[in-house]
Amino acid sequence: MQTDSNFFVKLVGMSTFLEQQEDLDESLNDFAAMAANIINVENCSIMLFREGDKAGDFRLRVFAKTGYLPENAFQEALKVNDGIAGRVAATGQAILVEDITSSPYLPLARAPEGASKCFISVPVMIGTKVVGVINLTNPRDGRCFSDNDLALATFVALLVGKSIQVVQLQNVLRSRFAQMAISRETKTLVASKVTEFYQDPARLARIAAKTFYREMTRAGLGTEHILNAATEIVGLLGDNLKKHKRRMADTQTTAPQEPAGEA
């Protein structure tokens, strides 16, 4: 583990980086690169839970990475308990493997034939809830991961969780529409209520949708106009997903490292 003063400067910078960004998705790749630099590894991926096609069906997806990652990794949507990352998400416990080839996790590894045989996977927590997983492989100096690396990775994951929490709260407070939706639902708008709702995004989405519908009907708009508005929202969501895929593809083409063992 690094001990020079520059190392602590990097940690301080990382601790506030995400909270200063307006778009969490856009800045996560930069954060992954910062994490890789601090822990001194080539490969770092950040996976977060997102709801699947069915309500309540949350899956782990890669949202950011630095270094090489197989193309199929971006298409995966892991359930809890699927793969190594899914196991970490299910238990909320970090995993450090010194040699994947002699580990019980070998059948779950994505690329055990890679040059690096060690890896770390740590849960990203908000309170007691797992919201994602950080995977680290391929130490730059050829070392095998130690407990010191695990402790540092756990601290980085803690920063991610706290930063996501702050960004979510900031987004709610930045949106007058979201504030109006919460205040109408709870008849108040205090910090405890805002926190309660951003920790349950599905509930917040339902309330926002109800408020959206009520406001449009109150404005005198008919069914056709409301459907057009809903279609516009879906279109904007599609555009955002395309931007995310292009961004991930761009980072993939700019990091042609050799494959390494990956969780």
Side-chain angles (χ1 to χ4, degrees), residues 43-47 84-85 120-122 133-137 262-263:
N43 304 81
C44 173
S45 63
I46 299 176
M47 307 178 76
I84 296 173
I120 289 175
S121 289
V122 292
V133 174
I134 295 180
N135 303 303
L136 300 156
T137 62
E262 180 67 41

Side-chain angles (χ1 to χ4, degrees), residues 87-259:
R87 294 282 181 89
V88 172
T91 62
Q93 300 295 317
I95 291 175
L96 186 160
V97 170
E98 296 180 353
D99 187 345
I100 187 62
T101 60
S102 59
S103 164
Y105 297 105
L106 177 60
L108 304 177
R110 183 184 292 118
E113 73 284 355
S116 177
K117 304 301 181 184
C118 61
F119 71 84
I120 289 175
S121 289
V122 292
V124 177
M125 312 282 292
I126 293 182
T128 58
K129 182 179 179 182
V130 178
V131 298
V133 174
I134 295 180
N135 303 303
L136 300 156
T137 62
N138 201 8
R140 288 173 179 166
D141 55 4
R143 72 189 187 281
C144 182
F145 283 134
S146 67
D147 288 339
N148 285 338
D149 293 301
L150 178 61
L152 185 54
T154 301
F155 179 73
V156 168
L158 176 64
L159 291 183
V160 174
K162 291 298 183 183
S163 295
I164 290 175
Q165 189 176 31
V166 170
V167 170
Q168 289 175 335
L169 179 57
Q170 287 175 339
N171 288 342
V172 171
L173 295 178
R174 192 179 295 125
S175 169
R176 292 184 179 180
F177 181 82
Q179 291 182 43
M180 178 177 65
I182 293 174
S183 63
R184 286 190 173 181
E185 180 72 13
T186 64
K187 309 304 180 184
T188 185
L189 185 63
V190 295
S192 61
K193 290 298 181 182
V194 174
T195 301
E196 174 187 334
F197 276 85
Y198 82 69
Q199 288 181 339
D200 189 352
R203 184 182 177 194
L204 179 57
R206 289 194 299 272
I207 293 171
K210 289 179 182 178
T211 303
F212 171 77
Y213 175 77
R214 290 168 183 163
E215 289 302 309
M216 292 199 73
T217 55
R218 187 169 296 163
L221 298 176
T223 302
E224 182 179 351
H225 296 101
I226 295 175
L227 286 174
N228 287 341
T231 301
E232 180 70 17
I233 291 174
V234 173
L236 292 171
L237 176 60
D239 291 342
N240 189 56
L241 291 174
K242 289 178 182 177
K243 285 173 56 181
H244 175 71
K245 289 181 179 179
R246 285 197 300 268
R247 185 169 65 250
M248 296 301 290
D250 290 342
T251 58
Q252 184 74 355
T253 57
T254 56
Q257 289 98 337
E258 290 297 320

